[in-house]
Amino acid sequence: MTPSLQQAARLPPPAGPGDRVGVAALSGPVDPERLERGLAALRGLGFEPVLADNAASREGLFAGGDAARLAAFHRLAADADLPAILFTRGGHGLLRVLPGIDWELLRRRPRAYVGYSDLTPFLLAVVRRLGLVAFHGPLVGGELARGLTGGERESLLGALGGRYPVELPLTGWLRDGVAAGPLLGGCLSLLTATLGTPWFPELSGALLFLEDVNEPPYRLDRMLTHLALSGSLDCIGGMIIGHLDAGDAVDATDATDIGGMGGTGDIGRHPESPAAGRPGRAGVELIADNLRGFAWPLAWGLESGHRAPNLTLPLGMAARLDAGRSGGPGLAGGPGGPGLAGGPGGPGGGRLALG
């Protein structure tokens, strides 16, 4: 039975140092050196990584053909001694194999799944089909390969260990207010790619988290408009913006392209980069203008997504958004034509309580 997303998903069994963890590859190919660095980082955290058969494979855009990726994932998922499965990278390819996943096998082996970017539809399907929290978090060939920040390390280990509740600060708000509901969302481009398919999540009452990278302003505006025109935003409880570049603060030479395929990268820029942790002013203005017709609370500055730090978020978990209650920067003016007061950034924009 598919659980209602008005209900919070349950946490998977905990995983921690000393455990074996799977490393799957359902999307694009990973650079071998990055994979080795990521596996070494997993071992440094105390885990014993168990690789899918296709983890180092490369076949055009993908880590092996569709059938090979599915078979390798299912072999990994059948191992009852893996309390968590992480992924080598995102890129492209998950949507091609999503209909072939054996959900009954996954149901019989409840565990933590950790990933983001191209894995977004898979994580949301875990929440909806299995009633399990799935973790929007680091990739083995991405953040683990570049080295986790202290905050990322604490966030990942805490999530896998089931250490909730947690409160995360937000840096600003575009519409203040308080809302509660299950935390859902992830990569904006992958979320919009599932519109009109059985894999688009039920968002009624949800707190919708959005992030993306290397998207020019017109594409961000088009994707947000697409979500709005579909009616998907009419009944959400609120929205939280993570690392969401509108192109104004993105240095093209700073984008990471694992596997040399172009497009969405899988490693965030350095955490001390000026653009890390918030959208640029043009991005904030674009979001404010595009979403001005809605009334739910809207905040930004959640430190999760394609830029560092990429904190681990429990998709499906009960959450509470408190936007703009601490005097942080926000909007001056009403929904007809808001203007920014103070601009992006600065402390006190609110908080997101998880669990």
Side-chain angles (χ1 to χ4, degrees):
M1 178 179 175
T2 298
S4 168
L5 286 183
Q6 303 299 329
Q7 306 286 325
R10 68 187 188 279
L11 279 167
D19 285 334
R20 301 166 70 243
V21 296
V23 177
L26 282 175
S27 301
V30 64
D31 177 83
E33 292 184 5
R34 292 191 185 278
L35 178 58
E36 286 306 314
R37 289 205 302 269
L39 295 175
L42 270 179
R43 295 185 187 102
L45 294 175
F47 296 106
E48 179 187 343
V50 178
L51 269 67
D53 299 338
N54 69 319
S57 298
R58 178 184 293 266
E59 187 173 315
L61 297 174
F62 314 112
D66 293 350
R69 281 179 286 138
L70 274 174
F73 175 71
H74 287 148
R75 283 191 289 271
L76 205 61
D79 188 337
D81 194 32
L82 299 178
I85 290 180
L86 292 81
F87 295 86
T88 56
R89 67 157 294 184
H92 170 63
L94 183 279
L95 287 175
R96 290 172 58 115
V97 299
L98 190 58
I101 288 177
D102 185 344
W103 294 100
E104 286 307 312
L105 169 62
L106 271 56
R107 190 185 307 279
R108 294 194 300 270
R109 301 280 190 267
R111 58 167 58 90
Y113 293 95
V114 185
Y116 75 111
S117 190
D118 193 51
L119 282 307
T120 295
F122 170 77
L123 299 175
L124 294 173
V126 167
V127 174
R128 185 173 188 179
R129 289 173 173 253
L130 306 183
L132 285 176
V133 166
F135 296 106
H136 181 284
L139 296 164
V140 175
E143 290 78 7
L144 282 154
R146 66 129 157 95
L148 299 180
T149 68
E152 288 173 330
R153 181 182 186 278
E154 180 181 355
S155 178
L156 174 62
L157 292 177
L160 290 175
R163 294 193 285 275
Y164 291 97
V166 168
E167 281 195 1
L168 298 176
L170 305 170
T171 59
W173 49 274
L174 298 172
R175 221 171 8 248
D176 68 355
V178 175
L183 180 68
L184 294 174
C187 185
L188 173 60
S189 55
L190 269 298
L191 189 66
T192 55
T194 61
L195 276 167
T197 77
W199 304 101
F200 190 78
E202 171 54 58
L203 296 178
S204 294
L207 299 184
L208 182 60
F209 158 68
L210 296 177
E211 64 86 22
D212 216 319
V213 68
N214 296 343
E215 295 288 359
Y218 81 92
R219 282 181 53 86
L220 283 182
D221 187 72
R222 183 166 62 195
M223 288 187 287
L224 291 171
T225 300
H226 192 180
L227 282 176
L229 290 176
S230 73
S232 303
L233 303 182
D234 292 348
C235 296
I236 67 171
M239 183 181 290
I240 309 107
I241 305 297
H243 300 314
L244 187 64
D245 290 333
D248 58 300
V250 179
D251 177 357
T253 64
D254 193 33
T256 300
D257 174 20
I258 297 178
M261 300 194 309
T264 299
D266 294 312
I267 292 185
R269 71 172 56 183
H270 191 277
E272 294 181 1
S273 166
R278 66 191 190 190
R281 184 179 182 90
V284 173
E285 291 172 340
L286 183 154
I287 294 165
D289 178 67
N290 187 287
L291 301 176
R292 67 185 182 276
F294 296 97
W296 28 255
L298 170 57
W300 82 80
L302 185 58
E303 293 186 323
S304 187
H306 282 77
R307 302 302 188 197
N310 182 17
L311 302 183
T312 302
L313 301 178
L315 300 180
M317 179 175 283
R320 177 182 171 89
L321 170 63
D322 189 348
R325 298 298 181 180
S326 303
L331 290 176
L340 288 173
R351 62 188 178 181
L352 178 66
L354 301 167

